[in-house]
Amino acid sequence: MVRWALLCAGLAACGPKPSATPHAMTTPHETFLASCRAELAEARTDISAIKSAGKRTVETVLVPYDRVLTVVDRWSSRATLFSEVHPDARMREAAEACVKDTAAFQAEYKLDRALHDALAAVPAAPHEDRETKRFLERTLRDFRRAGVDKDEAARARLKALNDEITAVQLDFAKNIREDVHRVKLDPAELAGMPADYIDAHKPGADGKVEITTDYPDFYPFMQYAESGAARKRLYLEFLNRGYPKNGPVLKQLLAARKEFATILGYRNWADYITEDKMVRSAAYAQSFIDKIAAAADARTKGDVAALLERRRRDDPTAQSVAGWDQMYYTTLVKKETLDFDPQSVRPYFDFAATRDGLLRVTGKLFGVDFRKVTDAEVWHPSVDVYDVYQGDEKLGRIYLDLHPRADKFKHAAQFALVAGVAGRQLPEGVLVCNFPDPAAGPALMDHNDVVVMFHEFGHLVHYIFAGKQRWVYFSGVSTEWDFVEAPSQMLEEWAWDPEVLALFARDKDTGKPIPAELVARMRAAQDFGKGIQARQQMFYAATSLGLHEADPASLDVDKLTVETQRKYSPWSPVPETHFWAGFGHLTEYSAMYYTYMWSLVIAKDLFTPFHNNGLFDAATAKRYRDAIL
């Protein structure tokens, strides 16, 4: 998952300077917000100068406009990041206020006809300057899609709706971030869990063990816990994160998006948001979802039948497999039928060794060094910082915030901090994840965690290598949305290769590298459940699309999601649960969750030369880095 600043579509991936402007990670929250507002005020002055420029040229209009975008980018990025990860509640509140201010400013200038006319008057860039020509074309398109050609009353309403959308998106994310659910279990209910997991979850004074809905707790428990009743309890809590608070918030968000789209002449938000994507319309997005679901149907039925057969060995009366049974029985089928026990690889994936191995692998692949920075300003002591070098040239900086804590973003994503611009500022990107924390005890990872780590790092290297743009608009991962997940999905392939894993995956006790034959069995077992996975992804995609096609005034969110689940998912809806309340992709991806599968097709194509030439083939890697990233 890649994450931009809110309402940043069409800008760059939003971020500040690495040296001239301090990140303000540890400054008082009042200073942070005052600085944000002061720089936005300066940017308004720059816009006035652009509109009054006599001769409209690249130098008199586009260059100062790019400076304005850089300011917006700078504050939108850091504010979005801090609102999700900063440990100080006052700073998170100040950051949210800054996000609202930057989004309001964006909406304001995109609805400014005089600014639009100044940009439109710039002569078409010479053919050889394709980047500048594209920058101008995309900018004018963004103004049109913002509603700059509407009358004054419509523009005022669009501005108000933009502000409302920003505010409710922040509320939706906050309600997920701050809502950690817990179950208390008898120690015996941890039967089947890995020893390191049990060691990290000691009984409290009441003799009970507490398990949370945070990822390092939830996913291993769903995969290994033998108690179906305990799995069900935790599963129900997980599906109710963000509920009930996000009920009215989501309805307000959908209503604001619907009105915004209809003012612009679209049937609904789904049609609006897909118009400038490869898919072009909500109808074709739905067709794509249905084609994938149909293609996966036979495979899904076979997968579910295998799970049910295995469950009936435990319960001969079982008629179905529930959502809380899926991961557990998938693990058993892989173990008993496919000769692979997922727990067998955990000792090879110590968190610190895996993180360091990822840096070595990607450094070798792309010809760069990651140099630890020990004196960098950070928002939390657990954040690690590395400068990225190619030879003696510094390419940028990365921040790794990889462990769960209270009030922190609960998913996994790459955030922007500094958008790289050639000759002006180096890129700085951030990885925000929730992996086991060595400070809390043994920190062994499932291989699924390793895949997630590689995936998100794929976004991060994309962000760094795309940090030499002339125009901030194109910096980092602000590429076509249809493509944006492809680099991260492609890098997952390295997490499945035995030679790659042998570089860092070593037994925590013996130090021996992971055996190639174990990796081969793990990879063979990976194929089981792919039908289920595809159908479940199409359930999420159809939900995100359907919510934005429906009429918010009459929408029953629970009814729509239940009907969508019955149509696409292999798992039956669970009464009294509301998964949509914790579906964070509904903010930044809105109706476009389908693009995960769309990007995956591109990722498989991108991987073909590596498959043919070798995962560390220098010429292939250089071509991919320079021509694609």
Side-chain angles (χ1 to χ4, degrees):
M1 174 182 177
V2 64
R3 191 172 176 97
W4 289 279
L6 299 173
L7 292 182
C8 250
L11 288 178
C14 305
K17 287 186 180 180
S19 54
T21 305
H23 292 321
M25 296 174 185
T26 56
T27 58
H29 61 282
E30 303 97 329
T31 304
F32 178 91
L33 186 55
S35 298
C36 169
R37 288 172 172 168
E39 290 203 29
L40 292 179
E42 292 176 9
R44 281 190 173 86
T45 301
D46 289 337
I47 285 179
S48 296
I50 293 170
K51 292 189 291 186
S52 62
K55 188 176 181 181
R56 272 68 187 276
T57 67
V58 169
E59 293 303 320
T60 62
V61 174
L62 283 189
V63 170
Y65 179 67
D66 182 62
R67 288 199 298 268
V68 170
L69 296 190
T70 303
V71 170
V72 173
D73 190 72
R74 177 184 311 155
W75 285 101
S76 185
S77 284
R78 70 176 72 173
T80 299
L81 174 69
F82 290 175
S83 73
E84 293 279 19
V85 304
H86 207 286
D88 186 338
R90 294 170 301 174
M91 180 62 91
R92 292 197 301 273
E93 291 173 1
E96 288 183 357
C98 180
V99 169
K100 292 175 183 177
D101 287 353
T102 53
F105 179 46
Q106 282 179 272
E108 174 187 315
Y109 67 68
K110 284 186 180 180
L111 290 166
D112 188 330
R113 283 185 176 174
L115 177 60
H116 169 271
D117 292 346
L119 290 160
V122 175
H127 176 70
E128 62 270 16
D129 189 3
R130 292 181 299 169
E131 189 176 13
T132 298
K133 183 178 180 180
R134 186 164 177 259
F135 174 33
L136 184 57
E137 289 173 348
R138 292 305 174 94
T139 296
L140 294 176
R141 181 199 67 179
D142 294 344
F143 273 69
R144 174 186 62 80
R145 285 176 53 78
V148 72
D149 57 346
K150 301 302 178 184
D151 61 36
E152 184 176 352
R155 295 201 312 274
R157 183 58 185 154
L158 289 168
K159 169 67 169 62
L161 288 168
N162 257 311
D163 294 347
E164 181 180 355
I165 288 169
T166 299
V168 293
Q169 285 184 152
L170 286 167
D171 288 343
F172 194 86
K174 179 180 180 180
N175 291 337
I176 297 172
R177 184 175 68 242
E178 295 184 352
D179 193 22
V180 178
H181 289 223
R182 295 168 170 80
V183 297
K184 293 233 176 169
L185 304 173
D186 291 327
E189 292 180 284
L190 268 62
M193 297 305 299
D196 61 283
Y197 187 101
I198 295 174
D199 288 344
H201 294 81
K202 301 294 187 185
D206 59 358
K208 300 288 187 178
V209 176
E210 183 176 273
I211 308 296
T212 74
T213 52
D214 282 344
Y215 284 12
D217 275 7
F218 176 77
Y219 282 106
F221 196 86
M222 299 309 297
Q223 190 167 5
Y224 303 123
E226 294 175 2
S227 170
R231 292 197 311 272
K232 180 178 179 179
R233 285 182 60 196
L234 186 60
Y235 184 79
L236 297 185
E237 295 297 331
F238 187 82
L239 291 186
N240 278 319
R241 293 171 305 147
Y243 186 82
K245 285 186 176 180
N246 271 344
V249 173
L250 180 59
K251 290 293 288 288
Q252 184 181 358
L253 176 60
L254 295 174
R257 285 174 171 170
K258 167 82 171 182
E259 184 181 352
F260 185 96
T262 54
I263 290 174
L264 294 176
Y266 296 88
R267 185 171 58 95
N268 52 47
W269 179 269
D271 274 343
Y272 167 75
I273 204 66
T274 55
E275 181 207 39
D276 61 341
K277 311 303 182 294
M278 290 176 71
V279 79
R280 296 300 182 196
S281 71
Y284 196 84
Q286 184 62 60
S287 174
F288 174 72
I289 292 168
D290 289 338
K291 287 177 182 178
I292 297 296
D297 188 54
R299 182 73 169 267
T300 303
K301 289 177 180 176
D303 291 343
V304 173
L307 296 180
L308 180 56
E309 179 183 359
R310 177 58 187 84
R311 188 182 172 219
R312 282 175 172 163
R313 286 168 50 189
D314 295 339
D315 178 7
T317 67
Q319 298 299 310
S320 64
V321 178
W324 56 85
D325 293 327
Q326 179 220 337
M327 292 180 65
Y328 176 71
Y329 282 105
T330 295
T331 298
L332 291 185
V333 169
K334 288 182 177 183
K335 180 178 179 180
E336 299 168 2
T337 306
L338 301 173
D339 193 28
F340 173 68
D341 179 1
Q343 285 202 42
S344 66
V345 300
R346 282 176 64 89
Y348 295 96
F349 295 121
D350 170 78
F351 165 79
T354 303
R355 176 203 59 206
D356 295 345
L358 171 65
L359 297 176
R360 290 199 303 275
V361 167
T362 51
K364 178 181 178 181
L365 175 63
F366 295 116
V368 296
D369 297 317
F370 296 95
R371 303 179 187 176
K372 185 75 176 285
V373 181
T374 57
D375 59 350
E377 185 182 15
V378 293
W379 52 92
H380 191 270
S382 66
V383 177
D384 292 316
V385 184
Y386 298 83
D387 283 338
V388 186
Y389 279 86
Q390 183 178 6
D392 293 330
E393 180 188 5
K394 183 178 175 180
L395 302 181
R397 174 170 287 187
I398 62 173
Y399 297 76
L400 306 182
D401 186 350
L402 302 182
H403 308 299
R405 59 178 177 270
D407 301 323
K408 178 192 164 185
F409 180 71
K410 297 304 178 189
H411 196 47
Q414 179 259 314
F415 285 72
L417 186 57
V418 177
V421 182
R424 294 214 318 260
Q425 56 191 37
L426 295 179
E428 299 190 26
V430 184
L431 218 56
V432 179
C433 300
N434 287 277
F435 299 125
D437 188 353
L444 300 182
M445 302 168 66
D446 280 304
H447 184 255
N448 289 336
D449 292 329
V450 180
V451 174
V452 170
M453 186 182 283
F454 271 73
H455 174 103
E456 299 301 343
F457 206 78
H459 286 307
L460 198 56
V461 294
H462 182 194
Y463 188 81
I464 296 297
F465 290 134
K468 289 186 176 181
Q469 309 300 323
R470 176 182 179 185
W471 306 109
V472 73
Y473 187 105
F474 297 122
S475 183
V477 295
S478 55
T479 180
E480 302 300 331
W481 200 291
D482 315 270
F483 171 84
V484 74
E485 292 291 338
S488 55
Q489 290 168 325
M490 194 194 76
L491 197 62
E492 292 178 20
E493 299 283 354
W494 275 255
W496 291 95
D497 185 81
E499 293 183 12
V500 171
L501 294 178
L503 295 174
F504 64 87
R506 297 181 176 275
D507 186 276
K508 65 180 180 63
D509 296 321
T510 67
K512 293 182 179 179
I514 190 169
E517 59 85 18
L518 177 56
V519 178
R521 285 188 281 116
M522 178 175 71
R523 184 144 202 170
Q526 177 203 14
D527 284 340
F528 178 77
K530 280 190 173 179
I532 291 173
Q533 183 182 20
R535 290 293 298 235
Q536 190 71 2
Q537 285 293 300
M538 292 308 95
F539 161 50
Y540 296 143
T543 298
S544 80
L545 191 68
L547 287 171
H548 289 91
E549 286 188 296
D551 179 6
S554 58
L555 174 64
D556 182 329
V557 177
D558 281 319
K559 182 180 179 182
L560 184 147
T561 53
V562 164
E563 291 174 351
T564 306
Q565 184 168 0
R566 285 176 177 152
K567 181 176 180 180
Y568 292 100
S569 174
W571 317 123
S572 298
V574 182
E576 305 303 319
T577 62
H578 314 272
F579 100 92
W580 48 264
F583 191 15
H585 286 80
L586 290 176
T587 54
E588 65 268 27
Y589 276 71
S590 68
M592 300 182 296
Y593 192 89
Y594 75 88
T595 55
Y596 271 94
M597 188 65 77
W598 194 282
S599 289
L600 184 59
V601 178
I602 299 172
K604 295 299 183 181
D605 284 343
L606 290 175
F607 181 66
T608 300
F610 287 102
H611 176 78
N612 294 337
N613 302 329
L615 268 62
F616 288 108
D617 181 72
T620 303
K622 184 178 188 304
R623 178 167 162 248
Y624 170 69
R625 186 191 72 191
D626 294 346
I628 304 297
L629 299 184

